[in-house]
mmCIF file of all heavy atoms in Angstrom:
data_model
loop_
_atom_site.group_PDB
_atom_site.id
_atom_site.type_symbol
_atom_site.label_atom_id
_atom_site.label_comp_id
_atom_site.label_asym_id
_atom_site.label_seq_id
_atom_site.Cartn_x
_atom_site.Cartn_y
_atom_site.Cartn_z
ATOM 1 N N THR Q 35 5.851 15.059 7.673
ATOM 2 C CA THR Q 35 7.101 14.995 8.408
ATOM 3 C C THR Q 35 7.158 16.155 9.390
ATOM 4 O O THR Q 35 6.798 17.303 9.017
ATOM 5 C CB THR Q 35 8.347 14.972 7.483
ATOM 6 O OG1 THR Q 35 9.510 14.814 8.319
ATOM 7 C CG2 THR Q 35 8.469 16.202 6.620
ATOM 8 N N GLY Q 36 7.564 15.866 10.607
ATOM 9 C CA GLY Q 36 7.526 16.865 11.673
ATOM 10 C C GLY Q 36 6.294 16.558 12.510
ATOM 11 O O GLY Q 36 5.179 16.988 12.182
ATOM 12 N N LEU Q 37 6.491 15.766 13.557
ATOM 13 C CA LEU Q 37 5.344 15.239 14.304
ATOM 14 C C LEU Q 37 5.245 15.774 15.712
ATOM 15 O O LEU Q 37 4.939 15.069 16.653
ATOM 16 C CB LEU Q 37 5.379 13.699 14.300
ATOM 17 C CG LEU Q 37 5.361 13.051 12.902
ATOM 18 C CD1 LEU Q 37 5.524 11.562 13.012
ATOM 19 C CD2 LEU Q 37 4.056 13.384 12.149
ATOM 20 N N ALA Q 38 5.587 17.064 15.900
ATOM 21 C CA ALA Q 38 5.259 17.714 17.172
ATOM 22 C C ALA Q 38 3.734 17.915 17.185
ATOM 23 O O ALA Q 38 3.016 17.361 16.346
ATOM 24 C CB ALA Q 38 6.033 19.002 17.293
ATOM 25 N N VAL Q 39 3.218 18.752 18.082
ATOM 26 C CA VAL Q 39 1.746 18.825 18.214
ATOM 27 C C VAL Q 39 1.023 19.076 16.910
ATOM 28 O O VAL Q 39 0.037 18.418 16.582
ATOM 29 C CB VAL Q 39 1.321 19.942 19.212
ATOM 30 C CG1 VAL Q 39 1.436 19.454 20.609
ATOM 31 C CG2 VAL Q 39 2.047 21.243 18.999
ATOM 32 N N MET Q 40 1.525 20.008 16.092
ATOM 33 C CA MET Q 40 0.799 20.405 14.875
ATOM 34 C C MET Q 40 0.804 19.277 13.839
ATOM 35 O O MET Q 40 -0.226 18.901 13.284
ATOM 36 C CB MET Q 40 1.384 21.663 14.278
ATOM 37 C CG MET Q 40 1.091 22.942 15.045
ATOM 38 S SD MET Q 40 -0.662 23.308 15.153
ATOM 39 C CE MET Q 40 -0.994 23.881 13.491
ATOM 40 N N GLY Q 41 2.020 18.742 13.563
ATOM 41 C CA GLY Q 41 2.150 17.708 12.569
ATOM 42 C C GLY Q 41 1.405 16.434 12.948
ATOM 43 O O GLY Q 41 0.735 15.809 12.125
ATOM 44 N N ARG Q 42 1.499 16.089 14.232
ATOM 45 C CA ARG Q 42 0.831 14.869 14.705
ATOM 46 C C ARG Q 42 -0.700 15.013 14.506
ATOM 47 O O ARG Q 42 -1.363 14.127 14.001
ATOM 48 C CB ARG Q 42 1.155 14.653 16.172
ATOM 49 C CG ARG Q 42 0.583 13.346 16.697
ATOM 50 C CD ARG Q 42 0.891 13.168 18.160
ATOM 51 N NE ARG Q 42 0.362 14.307 18.917
ATOM 52 C CZ ARG Q 42 0.669 14.583 20.189
ATOM 53 N NH1 ARG Q 42 1.539 13.844 20.811
ATOM 54 N NH2 ARG Q 42 0.134 15.595 20.820
ATOM 55 N N HIS Q 58 6.610 10.730 9.484
ATOM 56 C CA HIS Q 58 8.069 10.724 9.644
ATOM 57 C C HIS Q 58 8.444 11.886 10.549
ATOM 58 O O HIS Q 58 7.786 12.919 10.541
ATOM 59 C CB HIS Q 58 8.719 10.910 8.273
ATOM 60 C CG HIS Q 58 10.219 11.104 8.351
ATOM 61 N ND1 HIS Q 58 10.793 12.361 8.357
ATOM 62 C CD2 HIS Q 58 11.243 10.225 8.418
ATOM 63 C CE1 HIS Q 58 12.099 12.224 8.431
ATOM 64 N NE2 HIS Q 58 12.396 10.949 8.454
ATOM 65 N N ASN Q 59 9.483 11.672 11.317
ATOM 66 C CA ASN Q 59 10.005 12.746 12.189
ATOM 67 C C ASN Q 59 11.507 12.552 12.320
ATOM 68 O O ASN Q 59 11.979 11.402 12.277
ATOM 69 C CB ASN Q 59 9.335 12.675 13.558
ATOM 70 C CG ASN Q 59 9.607 13.938 14.373
ATOM 71 O OD1 ASN Q 59 9.144 15.009 14.018
ATOM 72 N ND2 ASN Q 59 10.346 13.788 15.440
ATOM 73 N N ARG Q 60 12.237 13.640 12.439
ATOM 74 C CA ARG Q 60 13.698 13.543 12.594
ATOM 75 C C ARG Q 60 14.046 12.544 13.685
ATOM 76 O O ARG Q 60 14.851 11.632 13.481
ATOM 77 C CB ARG Q 60 14.275 14.919 12.912
ATOM 78 C CG ARG Q 60 15.765 14.924 13.158
ATOM 79 C CD ARG Q 60 16.303 16.301 13.436
ATOM 80 N NE ARG Q 60 15.703 16.886 14.616
ATOM 81 C CZ ARG Q 60 16.030 18.096 15.095
ATOM 82 N NH1 ARG Q 60 16.877 18.840 14.457
ATOM 83 N NH2 ARG Q 60 15.429 18.571 16.200
ATOM 84 N N THR Q 61 13.428 12.711 14.833
ATOM 85 C CA THR Q 61 13.633 11.788 15.931
ATOM 86 C C THR Q 61 12.512 10.737 15.845
ATOM 87 O O THR Q 61 11.350 11.078 16.032
ATOM 88 C CB THR Q 61 13.497 12.507 17.279
ATOM 89 O OG1 THR Q 61 14.165 13.785 17.153
ATOM 90 C CG2 THR Q 61 14.093 11.713 18.390
ATOM 91 N N SER Q 62 12.859 9.496 15.508
ATOM 92 C CA SER Q 62 11.803 8.542 15.153
ATOM 93 C C SER Q 62 10.931 8.126 16.334
ATOM 94 O O SER Q 62 9.888 7.534 16.139
ATOM 95 C CB SER Q 62 12.374 7.349 14.409
ATOM 96 O OG SER Q 62 13.343 6.727 15.209
ATOM 97 N N ARG Q 64 9.107 9.930 18.057
ATOM 98 C CA ARG Q 64 7.789 10.610 17.880
ATOM 99 C C ARG Q 64 6.910 9.873 16.873
ATOM 100 O O ARG Q 64 5.683 9.797 17.029
ATOM 101 C CB ARG Q 64 8.024 12.021 17.323
ATOM 102 C CG ARG Q 64 8.366 13.068 18.367
ATOM 103 C CD ARG Q 64 8.056 14.444 17.738
ATOM 104 N NE ARG Q 64 8.851 15.531 18.269
ATOM 105 C CZ ARG Q 64 8.517 16.296 19.302
ATOM 106 N NH1 ARG Q 64 7.380 16.065 19.934
ATOM 107 N NH2 ARG Q 64 9.278 17.272 19.695
ATOM 108 N N ILE Q 99 5.359 19.329 5.302
ATOM 109 C CA ILE Q 99 6.389 19.610 6.313
ATOM 110 C C ILE Q 99 5.755 20.406 7.433
ATOM 111 O O ILE Q 99 5.116 21.442 7.201
ATOM 112 C CB ILE Q 99 7.528 20.451 5.705
ATOM 113 C CG1 ILE Q 99 8.154 19.696 4.534
ATOM 114 C CG2 ILE Q 99 8.585 20.772 6.745
ATOM 115 C CD1 ILE Q 99 9.279 20.467 3.869
ATOM 116 N N MET Q 100 5.923 19.937 8.659
ATOM 117 C CA MET Q 100 5.314 20.629 9.803
ATOM 118 C C MET Q 100 6.396 20.770 10.882
ATOM 119 O O MET Q 100 6.234 20.272 11.997
ATOM 120 C CB MET Q 100 4.149 19.766 10.297
ATOM 121 C CG MET Q 100 2.943 20.526 10.749
ATOM 122 S SD MET Q 100 2.320 21.682 9.550
ATOM 123 C CE MET Q 100 1.371 22.740 10.622
ATOM 124 N N VAL Q 101 7.487 21.407 10.525
ATOM 125 C CA VAL Q 101 8.592 21.575 11.492
ATOM 126 C C VAL Q 101 8.725 23.050 11.867
ATOM 127 O O VAL Q 101 8.033 23.904 11.313
ATOM 128 C CB VAL Q 101 9.943 21.036 10.948
ATOM 129 C CG1 VAL Q 101 9.804 19.565 10.603
ATOM 130 C CG2 VAL Q 101 10.439 21.821 9.776
ATOM 131 N N LYS Q 102 9.615 23.310 12.763
ATOM 132 C CA LYS Q 102 9.917 24.656 13.218
ATOM 133 C C LYS Q 102 10.201 25.517 12.027
ATOM 134 O O LYS Q 102 10.958 25.157 11.099
ATOM 135 C CB LYS Q 102 11.155 24.597 14.141
ATOM 136 C CG LYS Q 102 11.048 25.510 15.332
ATOM 137 C CD LYS Q 102 12.268 25.329 16.217
ATOM 138 C CE LYS Q 102 11.955 24.725 17.581
ATOM 139 N NZ LYS Q 102 10.779 25.117 18.270
ATOM 140 N N ALA Q 103 9.605 26.726 11.989
ATOM 141 C CA ALA Q 103 9.777 27.614 10.838
ATOM 142 C C ALA Q 103 11.209 28.152 10.848
ATOM 143 O O ALA Q 103 11.878 28.203 11.861
ATOM 144 C CB ALA Q 103 8.781 28.753 10.921
ATOM 145 N N GLY Q 104 11.682 28.525 9.652
ATOM 146 C CA GLY Q 104 13.027 29.101 9.505
ATOM 147 C C GLY Q 104 14.000 28.041 8.998
ATOM 148 O O GLY Q 104 13.645 27.249 8.105
ATOM 149 N N GLU Q 105 15.189 27.994 9.585
ATOM 150 C CA GLU Q 105 16.246 27.092 9.103
ATOM 151 C C GLU Q 105 15.839 25.628 9.112
ATOM 152 O O GLU Q 105 16.174 24.894 8.180
ATOM 153 C CB GLU Q 105 17.540 27.324 9.880
ATOM 154 C CG GLU Q 105 18.349 28.457 9.275
ATOM 155 C CD GLU Q 105 19.563 28.849 10.117
ATOM 156 O OE1 GLU Q 105 20.040 28.004 10.872
ATOM 157 O OE2 GLU Q 105 19.969 30.023 10.018
ATOM 158 N N PRO Q 106 15.129 25.166 10.157
ATOM 159 C CA PRO Q 106 14.732 23.738 10.124
ATOM 160 C C PRO Q 106 13.943 23.414 8.863
ATOM 161 O O PRO Q 106 14.107 22.326 8.285
ATOM 162 C CB PRO Q 106 13.885 23.586 11.387
ATOM 163 C CG PRO Q 106 14.437 24.602 12.313
ATOM 164 C CD PRO Q 106 14.834 25.767 11.472
ATOM 165 N N THR Q 107 13.082 24.333 8.402
ATOM 166 C CA THR Q 107 12.297 24.055 7.213
ATOM 167 C C THR Q 107 13.210 23.921 6.002
ATOM 168 O O THR Q 107 13.057 23.008 5.180
ATOM 169 C CB THR Q 107 11.268 25.187 6.979
ATOM 170 O OG1 THR Q 107 10.483 25.328 8.155
ATOM 171 C CG2 THR Q 107 10.369 24.907 5.790
ATOM 172 N N ALA Q 109 16.321 22.970 6.077
ATOM 173 C CA ALA Q 109 17.082 21.740 6.241
ATOM 174 C C ALA Q 109 16.230 20.548 5.778
ATOM 175 O O ALA Q 109 16.729 19.660 5.061
ATOM 176 C CB ALA Q 109 17.477 21.562 7.698
ATOM 177 N N VAL Q 110 14.963 20.555 6.108
ATOM 178 C CA VAL Q 110 14.115 19.447 5.743
ATOM 179 C C VAL Q 110 13.872 19.424 4.226
ATOM 180 O O VAL Q 110 13.903 18.365 3.593
ATOM 181 C CB VAL Q 110 12.772 19.500 6.521
ATOM 182 C CG1 VAL Q 110 11.776 18.482 6.031
ATOM 183 C CG2 VAL Q 110 13.032 19.270 8.033
ATOM 184 N N GLU Q 113 16.794 18.021 2.565
ATOM 185 C CA GLU Q 113 16.886 16.569 2.745
ATOM 186 C C GLU Q 113 15.985 15.826 1.784
ATOM 187 O O GLU Q 113 16.359 14.777 1.230
ATOM 188 C CB GLU Q 113 16.498 16.223 4.205
ATOM 189 C CG GLU Q 113 16.692 14.785 4.577
ATOM 190 C CD GLU Q 113 16.275 14.486 6.018
ATOM 191 O OE1 GLU Q 113 15.732 15.407 6.704
ATOM 192 O OE2 GLU Q 113 16.450 13.343 6.445
ATOM 193 N N PHE Q 114 14.780 16.360 1.553
ATOM 194 C CA PHE Q 114 13.803 15.613 0.763
ATOM 195 C C PHE Q 114 13.840 15.948 -0.735
ATOM 196 O O PHE Q 114 13.575 15.062 -1.544
ATOM 197 C CB PHE Q 114 12.386 15.867 1.288
ATOM 198 C CG PHE Q 114 12.131 15.094 2.546
ATOM 199 C CD1 PHE Q 114 12.201 15.704 3.799
ATOM 200 C CD2 PHE Q 114 11.835 13.744 2.498
ATOM 201 C CE1 PHE Q 114 12.004 14.987 4.952
ATOM 202 C CE2 PHE Q 114 11.613 13.014 3.652
ATOM 203 C CZ PHE Q 114 11.684 13.647 4.885
ATOM 204 N N ASP Q 126 4.508 23.195 2.814
ATOM 205 C CA ASP Q 126 5.046 23.690 4.099
ATOM 206 C C ASP Q 126 3.903 24.272 4.916
ATOM 207 O O ASP Q 126 3.403 25.372 4.629
ATOM 208 C CB ASP Q 126 6.148 24.727 3.885
ATOM 209 C CG ASP Q 126 6.628 25.344 5.204
ATOM 210 O OD1 ASP Q 126 6.386 24.716 6.250
ATOM 211 O OD2 ASP Q 126 7.229 26.422 5.160
ATOM 212 N N GLY Q 127 3.493 23.540 5.957
ATOM 213 C CA GLY Q 127 2.400 24.008 6.795
ATOM 214 C C GLY Q 127 2.836 24.797 8.003
ATOM 215 O O GLY Q 127 2.034 25.158 8.860
ATOM 216 N N GLY Q 128 4.129 25.075 8.114
ATOM 217 C CA GLY Q 128 4.644 25.844 9.255
ATOM 218 C C GLY Q 128 4.349 27.318 9.113
ATOM 219 O O GLY Q 128 3.828 27.737 8.073
ATOM 220 N N ASN Q 129 4.727 28.067 10.118
ATOM 221 C CA ASN Q 129 4.497 29.505 10.105
ATOM 222 C C ASN Q 129 5.649 30.209 9.405
ATOM 223 O O ASN Q 129 6.384 30.980 10.000
ATOM 224 C CB ASN Q 129 4.339 30.065 11.500
ATOM 225 C CG ASN Q 129 2.882 30.198 11.881
ATOM 226 O OD1 ASN Q 129 2.013 30.345 11.027
ATOM 227 N ND2 ASN Q 129 2.608 30.162 13.194
ATOM 228 N N ALA Q 130 5.831 29.961 8.116
ATOM 229 C CA ALA Q 130 6.953 30.540 7.395
ATOM 230 C C ALA Q 130 6.689 32.005 7.089
ATOM 231 O O ALA Q 130 5.542 32.445 6.927
ATOM 232 C CB ALA Q 130 7.167 29.768 6.097
ATOM 233 N N MET Q 152 1.687 26.812 2.939
ATOM 234 C CA MET Q 152 0.309 26.647 3.408
ATOM 235 C C MET Q 152 0.153 27.190 4.828
ATOM 236 O O MET Q 152 0.701 26.639 5.792
ATOM 237 C CB MET Q 152 -0.033 25.148 3.360
ATOM 238 C CG MET Q 152 -1.426 24.811 3.826
ATOM 239 S SD MET Q 152 -1.775 23.035 3.550
ATOM 240 C CE MET Q 152 -1.085 22.288 5.037
ATOM 241 N N GLY Q 153 -0.598 28.245 4.969
ATOM 242 C CA GLY Q 153 -0.908 28.756 6.294
ATOM 243 C C GLY Q 153 -1.924 27.859 6.964
ATOM 244 O O GLY Q 153 -2.929 27.476 6.352
ATOM 245 N N VAL Q 154 -1.671 27.489 8.210
ATOM 246 C CA VAL Q 154 -2.620 26.657 8.969
ATOM 247 C C VAL Q 154 -2.951 27.401 10.256
ATOM 248 O O VAL Q 154 -2.062 27.752 11.020
ATOM 249 C CB VAL Q 154 -1.987 25.292 9.336
ATOM 250 C CG1 VAL Q 154 -2.987 24.456 10.126
ATOM 251 C CG2 VAL Q 154 -1.563 24.545 8.056
ATOM 252 N N SER Q 155 -4.238 27.656 10.464
ATOM 253 C CA SER Q 155 -4.620 28.414 11.663
ATOM 254 C C SER Q 155 -5.390 27.521 12.612
ATOM 255 O O SER Q 155 -5.849 26.444 12.238
ATOM 256 C CB SER Q 155 -5.489 29.594 11.235
ATOM 257 O OG SER Q 155 -5.964 30.236 12.377
ATOM 258 N N GLY Q 156 -5.522 27.984 13.812
ATOM 259 C CA GLY Q 156 -6.382 27.293 14.754
ATOM 260 C C GLY Q 156 -5.645 26.440 15.760
ATOM 261 O O GLY Q 156 -6.257 25.707 16.553
ATOM 262 N N GLY Q 157 -4.300 26.519 15.741
ATOM 263 C CA GLY Q 157 -3.523 25.824 16.773
ATOM 264 C C GLY Q 157 -3.685 24.303 16.693
ATOM 265 O O GLY Q 157 -4.125 23.773 15.653
ATOM 266 N N GLU Q 158 -3.360 23.620 17.777
ATOM 267 C CA GLU Q 158 -3.368 22.167 17.722
ATOM 268 C C GLU Q 158 -4.789 21.585 17.629
ATOM 269 O O GLU Q 158 -5.019 20.579 16.978
ATOM 270 C CB GLU Q 158 -2.588 21.556 18.900
ATOM 271 C CG GLU Q 158 -2.930 22.141 20.242
ATOM 272 C CD GLU Q 158 -2.075 21.493 21.347
ATOM 273 O OE1 GLU Q 158 -2.143 20.245 21.501
ATOM 274 O OE2 GLU Q 158 -1.366 22.200 22.037
ATOM 275 N N GLU Q 159 -5.766 22.285 18.278
ATOM 276 C CA GLU Q 159 -7.148 21.821 18.197
ATOM 277 C C GLU Q 159 -7.640 21.883 16.747
ATOM 278 O O GLU Q 159 -8.317 21.001 16.238
ATOM 279 C CB GLU Q 159 -8.050 22.700 19.072
ATOM 280 C CG GLU Q 159 -7.989 22.328 20.550
ATOM 281 C CD GLU Q 159 -8.436 20.897 20.751
ATOM 282 O OE1 GLU Q 159 -9.627 20.622 20.533
ATOM 283 O OE2 GLU Q 159 -7.606 20.053 21.183
ATOM 284 N N ALA Q 161 -5.773 21.865 14.043
ATOM 285 C CA ALA Q 161 -5.096 20.877 13.216
ATOM 286 C C ALA Q 161 -5.783 19.528 13.292
ATOM 287 O O ALA Q 161 -5.874 18.803 12.321
ATOM 288 C CB ALA Q 161 -3.623 20.755 13.640
ATOM 289 N N LYS Q 210 -2.039 34.221 5.912
ATOM 290 C CA LYS Q 210 -2.013 33.687 7.270
ATOM 291 C C LYS Q 210 -1.395 34.707 8.210
ATOM 292 O O LYS Q 210 -1.872 34.904 9.335
ATOM 293 C CB LYS Q 210 -1.208 32.374 7.291
ATOM 294 C CG LYS Q 210 -0.854 31.864 8.699
ATOM 295 C CD LYS Q 210 -2.073 31.490 9.490
ATOM 296 C CE LYS Q 210 -1.893 30.916 10.858
ATOM 297 N NZ LYS Q 210 -0.702 30.923 11.602
ATOM 298 N N ASN Q 214 -3.090 36.714 11.466
ATOM 299 C CA ASN Q 214 -2.584 36.822 12.833
ATOM 300 C C ASN Q 214 -2.510 38.293 13.277
ATOM 301 O O ASN Q 214 -2.781 38.600 14.436
ATOM 302 C CB ASN Q 214 -1.204 36.174 12.940
ATOM 303 C CG ASN Q 214 -1.275 34.664 12.943
ATOM 304 O OD1 ASN Q 214 -2.161 34.103 12.309
ATOM 305 N ND2 ASN Q 214 -0.379 34.019 13.628
ATOM 306 N N LYS Q 288 4.511 35.737 19.450
ATOM 307 C CA LYS Q 288 5.393 34.818 18.750
ATOM 308 C C LYS Q 288 5.959 35.453 17.483
ATOM 309 O O LYS Q 288 6.864 34.931 16.873
ATOM 310 C CB LYS Q 288 4.689 33.520 18.418
ATOM 311 C CG LYS Q 288 4.487 32.662 19.667
ATOM 312 C CD LYS Q 288 4.458 31.157 19.365
ATOM 313 C CE LYS Q 288 3.146 30.725 18.750
ATOM 314 N NZ LYS Q 288 2.976 29.297 18.643
ATOM 315 N N THR Q 290 4.205 36.832 14.468
ATOM 316 C CA THR Q 290 3.525 37.048 13.189
ATOM 317 C C THR Q 290 2.796 38.399 13.138
ATOM 318 O O THR Q 290 2.678 38.969 12.072
ATOM 319 C CB THR Q 290 2.528 35.921 12.860
ATOM 320 O OG1 THR Q 290 1.910 35.524 14.072
ATOM 321 C CG2 THR Q 290 3.226 34.730 12.267
HETATM 322 P P1 NDP O 29 7.646 23.095 16.685
HETATM 323 O O1 NDP O 29 7.610 24.393 16.020
HETATM 324 O O2 NDP O 29 7.956 23.044 18.136
HETATM 325 O O3 NDP O 29 8.713 22.183 15.898
HETATM 326 C C1 NDP O 29 9.061 20.912 16.369
HETATM 327 C C2 NDP O 29 9.212 19.972 15.174
HETATM 328 O O4 NDP O 29 10.216 20.405 14.287
HETATM 329 C C3 NDP O 29 9.647 18.592 15.651
HETATM 330 O O5 NDP O 29 9.039 17.632 14.841
HETATM 331 C C4 NDP O 29 11.145 18.620 15.386
HETATM 332 O O6 NDP O 29 11.727 17.352 15.218
HETATM 333 C C5 NDP O 29 11.178 19.392 14.098
HETATM 334 N N1 NDP O 29 12.477 19.959 13.808
HETATM 335 C C6 NDP O 29 13.066 21.021 14.383
HETATM 336 N N2 NDP O 29 14.258 21.280 13.851
HETATM 337 C C7 NDP O 29 14.447 20.340 12.862
HETATM 338 C C8 NDP O 29 15.467 20.122 11.914
HETATM 339 N N3 NDP O 29 16.561 20.874 11.869
HETATM 340 N N4 NDP O 29 15.312 19.078 11.070
HETATM 341 C C9 NDP O 29 14.204 18.290 11.135
HETATM 342 N N5 NDP O 29 13.189 18.501 11.972
HETATM 343 C C10 NDP O 29 13.289 19.517 12.827
HETATM 344 O O7 NDP O 29 6.323 22.243 16.438
HETATM 345 P P2 NDP O 29 4.781 22.704 16.351
HETATM 346 O O8 NDP O 29 4.045 21.449 16.088
HETATM 347 O O9 NDP O 29 4.383 23.576 17.479
HETATM 348 O O10 NDP O 29 4.708 23.605 15.041
HETATM 349 C C11 NDP O 29 5.076 23.108 13.740
HETATM 350 C C12 NDP O 29 4.941 24.251 12.750
HETATM 351 O O11 NDP O 29 3.604 24.692 12.708
HETATM 352 C C13 NDP O 29 5.798 25.466 13.111
HETATM 353 O O12 NDP O 29 6.286 26.069 11.929
HETATM 354 C C14 NDP O 29 4.804 26.393 13.779
HETATM 355 O O13 NDP O 29 5.154 27.758 13.654
HETATM 356 C C15 NDP O 29 3.551 26.076 12.970
HETATM 357 N N6 NDP O 29 2.289 26.355 13.648
HETATM 358 C C16 NDP O 29 2.145 26.127 14.988
HETATM 359 C C17 NDP O 29 0.934 26.410 15.615
HETATM 360 C C18 NDP O 29 0.775 26.076 17.047
HETATM 361 O O14 NDP O 29 -0.271 26.454 17.587
HETATM 362 N N7 NDP O 29 1.718 25.410 17.685
HETATM 363 C C19 NDP O 29 -0.213 26.985 14.884
HETATM 364 C C20 NDP O 29 0.018 27.105 13.488
HETATM 365 C C21 NDP O 29 1.243 26.853 12.917
HETATM 366 P P3 NDP O 29 12.306 16.575 16.501
HETATM 367 O O15 NDP O 29 11.131 15.887 17.136
HETATM 368 O O16 NDP O 29 13.254 15.618 15.900
HETATM 369 O O17 NDP O 29 12.960 17.585 17.397
#
Side-chain angles (χ1 to χ4, degrees):
T35 182
L37 302 174
V39 280
M40 288 298 286
R42 185 182 58 193
H58 172 265
N59 193 66
R60 178 179 61 178
T61 320
S62 56
R64 278 200 208 269
I99 301 179
M100 218 54 200
V101 302
K102 219 177 247 320
E105 275 172 25
T107 304
V110 172
E113 186 181 4
F114 284 100
D126 175 19
N129 262 335
M152 179 174 86
V154 180
S155 176
E158 48 182 300
E159 280 299 295
K210 167 65 177 13
N214 285 32
K288 287 209 284 191
T290 38

